[in-house]
Amino acid sequence: MKRSRRTKIVATLGPASDTPEMIEKLFHAGVDVFRINMSHLAREKLPERIEVIRTIEREAKRPIGILVDLQGPKLRLGTFLGDAAHIENGQTFVLDSDPTPGNANRVYLPHPEILTALEPDHAVLIDDGKLRLVVTEVSEGRAVTRVEVGGRISNRKGVSLPHTVLPLPAMTDKDRGDLEAGLAAGADWIAVSFVQRPEDVAEVKKVAAGRAQVMAKIEKPQALSRLDEIIEISDGIMVARGDLGVEMPLEQVPGVQKRITRGARRLGKPVVVATQMLESMITSPVPTRAEVSDVATAVYEGADAVMLSAESAAGEFPVEAIATMNRIAEQVERDALYWSILMAQRSEPEPTASDAIAAAAHQIVDALGLRAIMAWTHSGSTVLRLARARPNASVIALTPKRETARRLTMAWGVHPIVTKDASDVDDMAFRAAKFAVRERFAEIGDRVIVVAGVPFGIPGATNMVRIAFVTREHAERA
């Protein structure tokens, strides 16, 4: 099954899309990667959900990516007498270590590490930023705040700390169990929430040990101060705009999105733009004009993938939301301005064999107007380098490793195919041309670029570029 766009679509599964029939509909509507949010799925149901996707994959004969999203630490208030209280602008409000129910003057904060880390002038945001407190004084087990934006405050509301670096690991005990369950069930990608520093990603990568790729979710302002390090150690990046928009001024989020997207592209790491992309389609069969523009902006910027959350997980029109996102991406990619933007952002190749081969392939594509780059790969690393500069040609990844094909479903412009490794140079070129015809990326008389490594079967040995002509024999044996 050939997609007619290069930008990938990630869809979150949930109550509105948890049946095999609906998951299959979403795949045919355009989903490349399914996200499973462990905040809302019981761990024991994970293998069953993944097996449903794998069944659809076998029937479609096309790799499908699976992203398991770890919940991360959830910071919440304690409880109140009568379940809620009302706090006024300008008043003093205390966060403390006393577990008794709170009132309009104080409340229990069941996270001693927060009380230890808070400093004067740090902001404390409650209930997705609806309430705003500023710390004026701290002592052992107690933080005194001034209410800047008051209102109703109730049991177990979430706490956000935009100015505070917390001495918390990105993984809780629940996350460790979910991570092992996801790896055992065959997840292709693991998303790490609450990333503040590169060490948070390193911890997950150590456990994953290559069994899955690790994606850092950039959702906390603290991560931005070490963004390059986080991108460097991660296999992919997600721009989690929802939480970013809570913990930093909303008007700064678009610029941060561009910074993250370009940083990830520069290092050749897949980047996903997420949250509220078609939010109105939770309850409406059509999006707003602003939402269409938002999705288009992410595509114009060269994001590897755009993601739906509640729209596909809990909305009334999940299939329509996917189809809408698919049409937007297709339309943007037909625009000549799209390619001029991408070309303007091309990074200089690094002094490596993979980048040299990728640069040569791109020059050949541009000079000859070719439609396909056929890349033989084991690990997928060379394919990611080919995709990094966003060539005006599809990158068809030919790999004997099914897990590599599944991971590459997240990458811009990559069409993965699982096939046995090439036996020699002639077999490499012949089967590459055959697959180009079979997958409708070339016709008789066309030329395609073939990228591979000799000797075959050795990861990281890409060292050859060849131009192959598509003949009638290739078509007959496709």
Side-chain angles (χ1 to χ4, degrees), residues 268-465:
K269 306 295 179 75
V271 57
V272 182
V273 176
T275 319
Q276 295 183 329
M277 302 211 78
L278 295 174
E279 184 83 354
S280 69
M281 291 195 74
I282 295 173
T283 56
S284 169
V286 294
T288 67
R289 279 67 171 167
E291 288 167 343
V292 172
S293 181
D294 180 41
V295 174
T297 297
V299 177
Y300 274 115
E301 189 65 21
D304 288 81
V306 286
M307 190 179 100
L308 295 176
S309 299
E311 301 95 329
S312 59
E316 297 176 24
F317 304 96
V319 176
E320 290 84 350
I322 298 296
T324 297
M325 186 166 268
N326 183 73
R327 289 196 303 273
I328 296 169
E330 288 179 346
Q331 182 61 43
V332 169
E333 292 179 14
R334 286 194 290 267
D335 187 353
L337 182 60
Y338 172 69
W339 293 103
S340 66
I341 293 172
L342 294 188
M343 295 310 102
Q345 295 178 21
R346 271 191 180 176
S347 301
E348 288 297 315
E350 296 177 4
T352 64
S354 292
D355 264 29
I357 294 292
H362 294 156
Q363 281 191 317
I364 295 169
V365 164
D366 293 342
L368 301 181
L370 305 188
R371 296 163 52 194
I373 302 172
M374 314 298 294
W376 292 89
T377 183
H378 271 74
S379 68
S381 59
T382 297
V383 170
L384 292 177
R385 302 312 288 181
L386 286 164
R388 181 177 80 118
R390 306 298 191 252
N392 193 2
S394 296
V395 180
I396 293 80
L398 303 168
T399 178
K401 301 182 68 175
R402 191 170 299 277
E403 58 267 31
T404 296
R406 289 166 173 166
R407 293 170 186 178
L408 289 172
T409 57
M410 191 74 77
W412 183 97
V414 176
H415 179 86
I417 298 172
V418 180
T419 182
K420 67 179 182 179
D421 208 352
S423 57
D424 55 42
V425 173
D426 290 336
D427 179 54
M428 170 203 77
F430 185 88
R431 286 203 287 133
K434 182 186 76 171
F435 279 117
V437 176
R438 193 187 78 177
E439 302 292 316
R440 295 183 289 118
F441 288 98
E443 299 173 354
I444 296 172
D446 287 347
R447 291 172 292 185
V448 296
I449 301 174
V450 185
V451 175
V454 179
F456 297 106
I458 299 178
T462 301
N463 56 13
M464 183 175 66
V465 178

Side-chain angles (χ1 to χ4, degrees), residues 22-348:
M22 181 56 76
I23 295 173
E24 185 172 13
K25 286 180 181 179
L26 294 180
F27 169 71
H28 287 290
V31 174
D32 300 288
V33 179
F34 285 103
R35 170 179 175 249
I36 300 174
N37 187 354
M38 298 310 295
S39 297
H40 303 298
L41 183 73
R43 185 182 304 159
E44 56 271 17
K45 293 185 178 180
L46 181 59
E48 176 187 345
R49 188 65 50 83
I50 288 180
E51 180 53 33
V52 168
I53 299 170
R54 294 303 180 219
T55 299
I56 295 169
E57 177 186 71
R58 288 189 291 270
E59 292 172 352
K61 298 180 180 179
R62 175 188 170 94
I64 301 175
I66 296 176
L67 170 70
V68 170
D69 195 335
L70 304 181
Q71 176 178 285
K74 292 298 179 185
L75 309 179
R76 298 188 181 278
L77 299 174
T79 59
F80 289 84
L81 285 169
D83 297 330
H86 192 89
I87 56 177
E88 301 287 345
N89 291 3
Q91 77 164 78
T92 295
F93 189 76
V94 177
L95 306 170
D96 60 34
S97 55
D98 179 0
T100 58
N103 52 40
N105 300 310
R106 61 154 294 276
V107 72
Y108 174 46
L109 187 61
H111 303 284
E113 59 277 358
I114 295 180
L115 295 174
T116 301
L118 284 173
E119 298 178 9
D121 295 326
H122 282 196
V124 179
L125 308 179
I126 311 295
D127 193 11
D128 286 339
K130 295 183 178 68
L131 307 177
R132 181 182 177 89
L133 318 176
V134 175
V135 177
T136 58
E137 178 187 337
V138 292
S139 57
E140 186 175 353
R142 190 169 188 266
V144 180
T145 73
R146 180 182 68 256
V147 179
E148 284 202 344
V149 179
R152 186 177 185 272
I153 185 169
S154 56
N155 295 344
R156 306 291 297 160
K157 288 300 182 184
V159 177
S160 301
L161 304 161
H163 305 138
T164 311
V165 177
L166 295 173
L168 286 173
M171 279 203 300
T172 64
D173 290 341
K174 168 180 163 53
D175 295 327
R176 290 185 179 88
D178 291 344
L179 172 58
E180 289 292 353
L183 294 171
D188 307 301
W189 287 85
I190 302 292
V192 189
S193 301
F194 208 81
V195 172
Q196 300 181 94
R197 54 185 82 82
E199 291 81 4
D200 296 331
V201 182
E203 180 184 2
V204 181
K205 290 199 73 170
K206 182 178 179 180
V207 177
R211 290 177 286 171
Q213 301 285 83
V214 177
M215 177 172 288
K217 293 169 65 178
I218 308 301
E219 55 189 350
K220 297 191 69 61
Q222 292 86 345
L224 299 177
S225 63
R226 302 185 68 181
L227 180 62
D228 289 345
E229 296 172 81
I230 291 171
I231 296 174
E232 183 72 45
I233 198 171
S234 304
D235 299 307
I237 297 292
M238 182 184 295
V239 188
R241 305 180 307 173
D243 289 302
L244 274 175
V246 170
E247 298 204 10
M248 65 191 305
L250 283 171
E251 64 273 13
Q252 294 181 14
V253 174
V256 168
Q257 175 179 318
K258 287 184 179 293
R259 176 185 165 194
I260 297 170
T261 300
R262 295 187 182 191
R265 278 191 55 196
R266 187 175 63 253
L267 293 179
K269 306 295 179 75
V271 57
V272 182
V273 176
T275 319
Q276 295 183 329
M277 302 211 78
L278 295 174
E279 184 83 354
S280 69
M281 291 195 74
I282 295 173
T283 56
S284 169
V286 294
T288 67
R289 279 67 171 167
E291 288 167 343
V292 172
S293 181
D294 180 41
V295 174
T297 297
V299 177
Y300 274 115
E301 189 65 21
D304 288 81
V306 286
M307 190 179 100
L308 295 176
S309 299
E311 301 95 329
S312 59
E316 297 176 24
F317 304 96
V319 176
E320 290 84 350
I322 298 296
T324 297
M325 186 166 268
N326 183 73
R327 289 196 303 273
I328 296 169
E330 288 179 346
Q331 182 61 43
V332 169
E333 292 179 14
R334 286 194 290 267
D335 187 353
L337 182 60
Y338 172 69
W339 293 103
S340 66
I341 293 172
L342 294 188
M343 295 310 102
Q345 295 178 21
R346 271 191 180 176
S347 301
E348 288 297 315

